[in-house]
Amino acid sequence: MASGPLDTSVEDIARAAKSAFESSQLLPSDVRKLALDKVAERLEASKAAILAANKEDMEAAQVEVDAGRMSNAMLKRLDLGRGDKWEAMVQGVRDVASLRDPTGIVTYATELDDGLELYRVSCPIGVLLVIFEARPEVVVNIASLAIKSGNAAILKGGKESNRTTVLLSKAISEGLAQTPLPSTYIQAIQTRAEVSALLALDQYIDLVIPRGSNSLVKNIQNNTRIPVMGHADGLCHVYLDESADLEKAIRVVVDSKVGLANGYSIPSAS
């Protein structure tokens, strides 16, 4: 691929992510918990500015809806101030922080021969490139999981939420800067051209995770040497066993159908 200003900038992002990952590997798990606590604090401190940016994204999206270029369902997914979405997002960071460290866990062990033992131990993957759709809170969701699991990440959200994504990423970086983790541990990009350039940088990126349509997944798989965690079509169902608590079952089914009623991953009736 030809090297131009864009490619140089993108390569700097990828190189910084790789360096951040490598420098973090000897840090104790308490540092990752501290990082998540600081990220939650910075998000709360930046709430007004982030929601103001989100309002601008919503206003721009409304123009697209009025012109018939965007669905109302997509518009609703952009709204970070709707209901308790903001509170749930920040609480999610704290919930992830309180989870058990997922690294260093022995999941299998066997003796192959005298003095020769084999262990399977959970460990970080490395640098993740995660591509997802419009919902801006996904930036925080994925960043939290990446930090907790010891992985650096480069995130690309939908263009519809660019203003919100920029400020969410800024708050995350500011939180990381208050800890031994590098502020470049989590980074965000904005354009498809940057994604295309990053897909060529297999020396820095260890796994691509696209969250979207099958065509998106296939396109990425066909344009990179980096391993891609793809997916197939799925079904969303709620299965109720005959021994289920009826009252609880009703709450689960109602919540799954109307909790975020936009036709996105809502369980089918059966």
Side-chain angles (χ1 to χ4, degrees):
M1 181 176 293
S3 178
L6 172 64
D7 298 315
T8 302
S9 173
V10 168
E11 185 162 355
D12 287 344
I13 290 171
R15 186 185 297 112
K18 192 69 169 181
S19 175
F21 168 72
E22 291 173 348
S23 67
S24 73
Q25 290 309 288
L26 296 180
L27 296 174
S29 61
D30 287 349
V31 170
R32 299 199 297 274
K33 182 181 185 306
L34 172 65
L36 289 170
D37 290 338
K38 293 299 183 182
V39 165
E41 290 175 8
R42 287 309 306 162
L43 286 169
E44 289 287 31
S46 307
K47 180 179 179 179
I50 293 170
L51 291 183
N54 185 241
K55 183 179 179 181
E56 292 180 12
D57 282 333
M58 292 285 294
E59 290 170 351
Q62 185 63 61
V63 173
E64 297 298 301
V65 171
D66 294 342
R69 293 187 292 266
M70 182 186 295
S71 68
N72 275 307
M74 173 70 79
L75 178 66
K76 290 178 181 177
R77 290 203 291 273
L78 288 173
D79 190 354
L80 195 55
R82 184 183 180 202
D84 65 348
K85 188 181 284 189
W86 174 272
E87 290 74 16
M89 179 188 73
V90 177
Q91 185 58 46
V93 178
R94 296 191 171 105
D95 290 344
V96 171
S98 66
L99 293 174
R100 175 188 179 189
D101 181 8
T103 66
I105 299 173
V106 178
T107 58
Y108 177 81
T110 186
E111 185 177 22
L112 299 177
D113 205 342
D114 291 341
L116 181 59
E117 298 176 337
L118 175 67
Y119 294 90
R120 183 174 64 200
V121 184
S122 61
C123 65
I125 294 170
V127 177
L128 312 177
L129 171 58
V130 188
I131 304 158
F132 51 93
E133 43 84 53
R135 292 185 298 133
E137 70 270 21
V138 175
V139 172
V140 177
N141 301 156
I142 296 174
S144 300
L145 293 171
I147 293 168
K148 185 67 178 185
S149 59
N151 294 290
I154 301 170
L155 311 179
K156 165 65 174 74
K159 66 181 185 299
E160 303 84 1
S161 59
N162 272 352
R163 298 175 185 83
T164 313
T165 298
V166 166
L167 292 192
L168 287 171
S169 301
K170 181 173 182 284
I172 292 168
S173 294
E174 289 172 349
L176 291 172
Q178 299 177 48
T179 77
L181 281 177
S183 61
T184 52
Y185 202 72
I186 303 294
Q187 301 176 83
I189 57 174
Q190 302 295 322
T191 68
R192 291 182 180 180
E194 289 172 310
V195 171
S196 297
L198 285 169
L199 291 177
L201 301 178
D202 57 316
Q203 70 270 40
Y204 300 120
I205 297 171
D206 299 289
L207 181 67
V208 182
I209 306 176
R211 296 182 55 184
S213 66
N214 279 339
S215 60
L216 168 67
V217 175
K218 290 295 183 185
N219 180 64
I220 289 173
Q221 289 174 328
N222 292 333
N223 287 281
T224 187
R225 296 187 298 269
I226 305 168
V228 177
M229 182 180 288
H231 61 78
D233 289 326
L235 296 174
C236 296
H237 290 298
V238 176
Y239 170 76
L240 300 180
D241 188 79
E242 61 182 8
S243 63
D245 180 314
L246 183 59
E247 183 180 345
K248 181 186 292 185
I250 291 173
R251 294 201 307 271
V252 168
V253 173
V254 170
D255 181 72
S256 69
K257 295 293 284 187
V258 303
L260 189 59
N262 57 17
Y264 184 70
S265 67
I266 292 177
S268 303
S270 59

